[in-house]
Amino acid sequence: MPKEKRLEHEVFSELAELCISPGYVHAIAYFCFRDNTIKYDDVMSVEDVLQQFSRDRLLRTEISTLVGLACKTRINTELPSPEVVQNYIDRTETLLEELHHSIMPSIAEAFDFEKIGDESLALFKSGAFLREPIFYSGEGAYLFQYRDFSKLKYQKDDDWFIENKKFTIQEAIAVATTTQALQDVKITELMFELVDKASNEWSLLPAFKFTVKEISCASQIEEEIVNQVIKSFISPVNMSDFNSLDDYNPTNAYPIIELSNNEYVLFQNYSLMQALYETPFFWLHEDERYRPTAMENRGKFAETFSADRLKLVFGEHRVFTNISIYTSRKKWAGEIDVLVVFANRAIVLQAKSKKLTIAARKGNDSHLQNDFKKAVQSAYDQAYLCATLLTDRNHKLIDENGDELNIHRDFKEVYPFCVVSEHYPALATQAKQFLQYNTTNCIKAPFVMDIFMLDVMTEMLQSPLHFLSYVNRRTSYGEKIYSTHELTILSYHLKKNLWMDNEYSGMYFEDDLCADLDLAMLTRREDVPGIDTPEGILTKYRGTVYDQIVKDIEILEHAQTIDLGFFLLTLSGKTVEILNSSVPKLIRRSKEDGKNHDLTLSFDEMRTGLTIHCNDDHPSTSMPRLRNHCEQRKYTQKATSWFGICIGAFFPKVKFGVNLEHEWAKEQRMDELVKDLPKIQRGDLIDFSTRTAKQRKTGRNERCPCGSSKKYKNCCLANL
């Protein structure tokens, strides 16, 4: 008979008893080494990082629970026999697995059958179901992000730190960084030492111990300052209120454990860096006199950080902050935290600083939704309101200096961004369940993220077209994509180019897809020897004709070519190869004979196409010729849209582009114009043709070869 499912509190109580067993900390040390350490040789590979995604690995939230339970009494560091430690390890893994199963409610527990037929009933919005992803969603930020962002978050509060804590935020970061570096050295040294020791002496605990003197010597910071930092993060003992998985675990905020003989132990460097980012705010908040200043600094940090990161992608001249919106009667209507304008696209970003409360973590429905409303829904509501006002010319935009912001307002797409500055567990899951939003032809679905995700996006996609193209697809596929982390989806995109055909109803991304991105970020931010860019869309066509065309379109920043840039970034490898092999031929032919040559690609399934003209003619001649050619190609293919670009021959750059978008309709005039147009040859996946302009000189009274239906003397000849 199958074993009867135990209640959650029963499993948790047994786990709590196990964690206060004599010498249990040696089992915790083993888990920390096994599951938090990436082992690699000279160069870290994706396969090395994939160790972190093993299903046998404990999550950091699980290890933090073990540490918290062990601190319910004074830590006993006595080394048990190898058999006892192994028993601790085996029992812990069994109980944690059972605990995971027990936290998942049955349908009967979570489903109110009396509400069947009620439109408000939403099974997966219940707190009972969201408790699991909130606890088991894993890390939403990298360790180095917590470390680096702490300085930015609290740099304006340094006077308070010096007066009340006797150290600066930079000194606290230095102590935490040194502790991590010292631990890495000790782990390596201990591995060699254990080889010469008897099995009954094996323990990994020494690698996680340290003293104030050790940190002071390694960091070159005075012992008194080091001592003040360490004391500020020491975990309390006898935590009587930590009695369930969702209770406040003080070791998350205060992860350093004090032992005897002036020794300390830190099991997870990640916990200390996260505490460094989160805990000081509560110190500031407790000071009633300083609280208003702390709140103001906290809000400014989120806005300033978001703007600075977006400037890396779009440049300072396209990013604006604190834009007030007024009606024609000078009445305030709204404020945009960060506004990005690129060609006919815009990002309206609203930032919030809100954490998930303990009550919400416990699965309380009202608290979950209330927290979400304060952190995300309110940010979206503001972003949507501002987006509608942004597109209304009756409203004026005033920057933070009081000057009117004079920008074009004919936006084709506006993307609302909702950014939270705190780690918000299972943010993607909660956004999918709770967020209520609207879309229009112009205002797209919102992109909900934290600053850690925004940081990675702007790090990896430092190109306006690549960045906006990803945003376009991510928001378009929002209801079809499922993942516990936004980072996972971004990692997939960098490798495979995120794209969904209409035949797919949804896609689910496993966490291990993030390994390539994790390695790239470790290489970039921690100087780990490895690959700093995942092999994929950013590397495969680097330096090719296709890559140059995309860059040229980005430099032009013309509304007519932005859609083409988006389109090019979705092309298959085979189509890209056609471009890379064919465009150089056009350029060579145009150089040889000085005539126009063109390449046409048709994409029947998407009802669109692309025509590339190559010539050095004056734009007054080449632009109408390209437009008319595209009109004819669009008509013959019965397409709803068509793109065209003109590339120079002796200076092979994109000179201009056209974008035709309108539904196909039969026209007698067009039938006459296209009757002699050469048909496109069929390829395996696309239609492909090249042709050269006729060499015969056009008569003055003949129809203009550009396709305008006008006489040559009244059309292109007059422009020569």
Side-chain angles (χ1 to χ4, degrees), residues 138-154:
E139 300 84 42
Y142 294 109
L143 176 148
F144 49 79
Q145 288 180 310
Y146 281 131
R147 178 196 65 209
D148 298 340
F149 298 178
S150 294
K151 180 181 178 180
L152 301 174
K153 185 178 183 181
Y154 298 113

Side-chain angles (χ1 to χ4, degrees), residues 104-120:
M104 291 295 297
S106 64
I107 296 297
E109 292 173 320
F111 195 85
D112 188 347
F113 289 94
E114 294 182 359
K115 292 185 179 180
I116 292 179
D118 187 345
E119 293 184 359
S120 65

